[in-house]
Amino acid sequence: MATRGTTEGAGRPSADALPVDGRALSFALGDRLTAAETPVAAFDHAASPGGIRLYPATEHTRILALRSPVGHRRFYEVDDGVEDALDDADDWQRA
């Protein structure tokens, strides 16, 4: 799993600030997959009101929902090791 840097500017979370690589999902698919699920983990961005919620997908993957400071959501299919990567990342803190 590759580690990416933080975003430039006001420290806003974006896909570039994620410490993981993932496959982008459409909003409709991500919203449908997470609508009835309870998050297995939650992280807040240290420098802004953005956050991440992780949802179960398969035995080895998670759905990562990235919420921007203005409330926009993007969804990614990621490795199940994403929690460890987020725990180790300076920009993300467990909620």
Side-chain angles (χ1 to χ4, degrees):
M1 216 180 295
T3 301
R4 297 182 182 188
T6 59
T7 58
E8 294 179 16
R12 290 181 223 128
S14 71
D16 293 334
L18 294 176
V20 297
D21 287 328
R23 184 173 65 98
L25 303 175
S26 72
F27 178 83
L29 178 59
D31 191 51
R32 188 174 73 231
L33 292 173
T34 60
E37 295 290 334
T38 301
V40 295
F43 294 84
D44 290 329
H45 194 257
S48 75
I52 288 175
R53 301 297 176 261
L54 297 173
Y55 296 89
T58 69
E59 184 177 338
H60 299 289
T61 61
R62 299 278 185 260
I63 302 297
L64 184 149
L66 174 68
R67 181 180 37 85
S68 74
V70 295
H72 295 201
R73 291 185 298 158
R74 291 194 174 104
F75 297 94
Y76 302 88
E77 179 183 17
V78 295
D79 225 30
D80 64 350
V82 68
E83 283 184 66
D84 293 335
L86 288 167
D87 279 330
D88 293 341
D90 293 334
D91 292 346
W92 298 99
Q93 302 165 349
R94 275 199 187 259

